[in-house]
Amino acid sequence: MQAVSSGIGYGLKYQARCISDVKADTDHTSFLAGTLSLKEENEVHLIRLSANGTELFCEGLFSHPNEIWDLVSCPFDQRIFSTVYSNGESYGAAIWQIPELYGELNSPQLERITSLETKSGKIKSILWWPTGRHDKLISINDESLCLWSLDVSKKTAQVQSQDSAGILHKLSGGAWDPHDVNSVAATCESSLQFWDVRTMKKTLSIECSHVRSADYHPRKNNILVTAEHESGIRIWDLRKPKVPIQELPGHTHWTWIVKCNPEYDGIILSAGTDSTVNLWSASINHDELTTESQPESPARLVDPLLNTYSDYEDSIYGLTWSSREPWIFASLSYDGRVVVESVKPFISRK
C-alpha cells in the first residue's frame, strides 16, 4: 500500500504522547494535546480545525505542572478534561477546567477541580462514563480499578468502590463498554481483563501478551479491538473469546494504539513505533468469520489496509477520531507534531 498523505500539521513546543477529541464541542472540530517534558513547564493545547478544513490553530494554551501521560476530554463538557501526570518520581491524576473567558485573558490558568488520590498503585489512565452526562469516572492503577463519583460544583471526587487486580497483573489502560456501562476492559502485560463495575469483580480474562490499547466497536455489541506489540491488531467477539475473529498485521514495529471509527462500520486506525498510522477496513461479522464450511469469498481476499500515513519522524502514541467529523482523525508523534487527516478518499458511508 503506497503511503498517501495530505495532512495539516501543528507543532507542540515539547515532546508529547496524548491527544483527545473534544467530543462535547459540537460547533467545532477541536482537540486537546498535552506535552511530556521533564525539565520544562508542560502545556495543554486546545487545537481547532478551521471552518474550511485547511488550517489548525491554537485556540487556547495552558500551563500544566507535570509530564502528561494520559489526557481525556470530558464527553459532556468541552471545558473539562482529565490528566494523569508524573514529575519523574511519582504519578498523580486530576480533573481540570478551562476558564470560561480564556480567550480574553493574557495568561489563562487551568482550574484544578479536584485530584484523584488513591492509597496504593500508580494511576495509569482515566475513563469517563461512555454515554451521556454522568458523574462516574474510572481510574486504572497498575494494581487496581477505582470507580469515582465526581461533583464538579463541589470540586470533589470520591471513591465509590474499588478492587485489586493483583500485583502480578500491572494494569496499564482500558476501555469502557458503550453498550454495557457495567463492563470495563483493562489491558495489562499478560492478559485482557473484563470487570463488572457494580461489583468491581473480574468477569473474564483473555490471555494475550503486551496489549497496549483496546477499543470497543461503537455500533456492535461484544466486539473489541486490541493493539498488541507482536501480534498486531486483533478483533474479538466477547461471546466466543478463546480466539480472535480477525487479525490484522499491524505495524513493522510495536503496534501501540488502535481506534474504531465512531460512524463508519469496520473502519479502524492504528499507530505505532514505526512512525506510521494505518487505516484499515475490517469485516466485523462474527458468523462470516467463524463458519469454516463457508467457501472463500472475494471480500476476504481484499487487502484490509486502505492507506498508510508516513509523514512522521518519530513514534506515534496519540491517536483519535473526531466525533463531530468522523472522517477526520488527529495523530500525535512523540516529537510533538500533530497531524490532522481526512480519510474521505478511502471510505464510503456504510
Side-chain angles (χ1 to χ4, degrees):
M1 174 63 65
Q2 184 176 1
V4 177
S5 180
S6 58
I8 306 164
Y10 176 94
L12 307 181
K13 189 177 180 180
Y14 307 119
Q15 294 173 329
R17 301 173 71 98
C18 305
I19 191 165
S20 175
D21 171 46
V22 185
K23 184 177 181 179
D25 186 356
T26 57
D27 296 324
H28 311 92
T29 299
S30 303
F31 306 95
L32 283 172
T35 63
L36 188 77
S37 173
L38 180 59
K39 296 182 178 180
E40 304 289 344
E41 183 79 4
N42 282 278
E43 299 172 340
V44 173
H45 292 241
L46 175 58
I47 306 165
R48 186 164 291 171
L49 183 64
S50 62
N52 60 8
T54 61
E55 180 184 4
L56 282 174
F57 61 92
C58 181
E59 178 68 15
L61 178 61
F62 312 98
S63 295
H64 187 283
N66 301 106
E67 300 175 316
I68 301 172
W69 286 84
D70 179 72
L71 185 154
V72 185
S73 180
C74 172
F76 57 82
D77 189 324
Q78 61 182 301
R79 291 171 48 222
I80 296 176
F81 63 93
S82 61
T83 63
V84 173
Y85 52 83
S86 172
N87 61 10
E89 297 179 355
S90 61
Y91 280 77
I95 309 299
W96 306 86
Q97 186 168 39
I98 296 171
E100 187 174 5
L101 301 177
Y102 65 90
E104 301 176 14
L105 303 175
N106 291 328
S107 55
Q109 298 296 312
L110 293 172
E111 176 186 358
R112 187 192 294 254
I113 295 175
T114 186
S115 296
L116 305 180
E117 298 179 356
T118 59
K119 295 180 179 180
S120 64
K122 299 177 181 178
I123 293 182
K124 296 298 185 70
S125 67
I126 302 295
L127 306 179
W128 291 81
W129 186 271
T131 57
R133 178 180 289 270
H134 207 284
D135 66 344
K136 294 298 186 290
L137 300 168
I138 283 181
S139 65
I140 298 179
N141 300 355
D142 50 4
E143 297 176 10
S144 63
L145 277 74
C146 294
L147 179 67
W148 300 78
S149 178
L150 173 67
D151 190 324
V152 174
S153 62
K154 294 182 179 179
K155 299 182 179 180
T156 61
Q158 297 183 348
V159 175
Q160 298 295 295
S161 58
Q162 69 179 99
D163 201 3
S164 173
I167 60 175
L168 298 178
H169 292 289
K170 296 186 181 297
L171 301 179
S172 57
W176 204 329
D177 190 342
H179 309 288
D180 179 5
V181 294
N182 296 315
S183 180
V184 168
T187 61
C188 71
E189 289 290 321
S190 58
S191 66
L192 186 64
Q193 300 181 5
F194 297 86
W195 294 72
D196 188 324
V197 300
R198 295 167 297 186
T199 61
M200 294 306 281
K201 298 296 183 182
K202 187 167 58 175
T203 59
L204 175 67
S205 182
I206 301 174
E207 289 188 11
C208 41
S209 60
H210 302 292
V211 181
R212 288 300 177 187
S213 174
D215 197 24
Y216 283 95
H217 192 297
R219 291 173 161 261
K220 292 185 177 180
N221 294 342
N222 302 303
I223 301 298
L224 185 79
V225 183
T226 58
E228 303 174 34
H229 271 184
E230 298 178 358
S231 303
I233 300 161
R234 289 180 168 183
I235 302 172
W236 304 85
D237 186 330
L238 301 180
R239 296 167 296 183
K240 299 181 179 181
K242 290 185 177 181
V243 293
I245 58 174
Q246 190 172 6
E247 296 185 352
L248 303 173
H251 293 255
T252 57
H253 201 246
W254 290 344
T255 304
W256 196 269
I257 187 169
V258 65
K259 293 290 183 181
C260 297
N261 188 277
E263 182 69 24
Y264 299 100
D265 187 21
I267 299 298
I268 298 169
L269 281 174
S270 65
T273 54
D274 61 353
S275 305
T276 65
V277 174
N278 285 338
L279 177 68
W280 307 90
S281 177
S283 175
I284 305 177
N285 186 314
H286 182 270
D287 293 334
E288 289 182 1
L289 290 166
T290 57
T291 303
E292 295 181 1
S293 60
Q294 185 176 3
E296 289 291 328
S297 63
R300 295 195 210 175
L301 303 178
V302 174
D303 186 354
L305 182 61
L306 297 179
N307 192 43
T308 293
Y309 303 87
S310 58
D311 190 21
Y312 307 91
E313 298 180 357
D314 211 334
S315 299
I316 301 164
Y317 298 114
L319 189 65
T320 183
W321 289 103
S322 165
S323 55
R324 180 175 177 269
E325 297 182 280
W327 55 89
I328 287 175
F329 74 87
S331 57
L332 174 61
S333 51
Y334 189 63
D335 56 6
R337 186 163 183 261
V338 176
V339 178
V340 168
E341 299 266 8
S342 171
V343 302
K344 269 190 174 180
F346 306 100
I347 61 176
S348 59
R349 186 171 292 274
K350 301 284 184 173

